[in-house]
Amino acid sequence: GENVEQHPSTLSVQEGDSAVIKCTYSDSASNYFPWYKQELGKRPQLIIDIRSNVGEKKDQRIAVTLNKTAKHFSLHITETQPEDSAVYFCAAKFGNEKLTFGTGTRLTIIP
Amino acid sequence: GAVVSQHPSRVICKSGTSVKIECRSLDFQATTMFWYRQFPKKSLMLMATSNEGSKATYEQGVEKDKFLINHASLTLSTLTVTSAHPEDSSFYICSARDGRTPGGGEQFFGPGTRLTVL
């Protein structure tokens, strides 16, 4: 089955700086890679996703890059703000299969 | 985006009782719903996948007689924790997917149910 590793587990960055979270996956057939943001006690919210036919996708301050050859994808948050503080999860899946989640990254933005 | 509701949001029960959690897709037909369990500061652990009108597929290590799942309609799936014990205390989250989306659709998550078993 799919295995997704996520690093780092915790990340603290100064407000205004950039944050990068990286994930690797094992199943080369995976073709959909979403990123979720989860605030304490709340549901995971999809913030950006990418499909395997694309190498990069950007939405304002958030971007995701995908390297299919190396089987890794990354989340980039620029100009970080205090409200970006949360736990971020990457995930991977193939077609209609189940999502496999990474272990999560607790991001803290230091004002 | 699509809306998924979950009820109740919080439940406290005595050991030995059964608890039912409902997951509803409000504005789309969810051909597939997923049930997750999340421990504090941990990732989401998939418990089972339910497809409308068929039996749920449970992940390894999840007791199907303990966690009963029913997906009787395209908008409702229920998870019943039978004879709950303190170790069943957790945050349970459902998600729903519109399977008509080509290539597999996005999963939309419910707000979660915090179960505390005394």
Side-chain angles (χ1 to χ4, degrees), chain A residues 9-111:
Chain A
S9 57
T10 60
L11 178 62
S12 295
V13 300
Q14 208 71 37
E15 181 178 355
D17 288 350
S18 296
V20 181
I21 303 171
K22 299 181 179 180
C23 287
T24 59
Y25 60 98
S26 60
D27 187 350
S28 58
S30 293
N31 59 4
Y32 176 65
F33 308 92
W35 284 90
Y36 291 89
K37 175 183 180 182
Q38 187 180 29
E39 297 178 7
L40 188 63
K42 302 289 180 65
R43 77 184 83 194
Q45 298 269 22
L46 179 72
I47 55 171
I48 196 167
D49 57 10
I50 191 168
R51 297 193 181 272
S52 58
N53 58 347
V54 176
E56 184 175 356
K57 183 177 178 180
K58 189 173 181 179
D59 182 4
Q60 298 182 356
R61 298 187 296 110
I62 296 173
V64 56
T65 58
L66 171 65
N67 183 325
K68 285 194 299 181
T69 303
K71 292 190 286 188
H72 67 67
F73 56 113
S74 301
L75 176 71
H76 304 252
I77 306 175
T78 59
E79 300 172 29
T80 53
Q81 301 167 4
E83 52 265 36
D84 294 330
S85 294
V87 178
Y88 292 80
F89 293 98
C90 63
K93 79 174 179 82
F94 168 69
N96 282 324
E97 295 300 309
K98 60 189 179 185
L99 274 175
T100 300
F101 284 86
T103 48
T105 297
R106 181 171 300 277
L107 175 64
T108 303
I109 306 302
I110 305 166

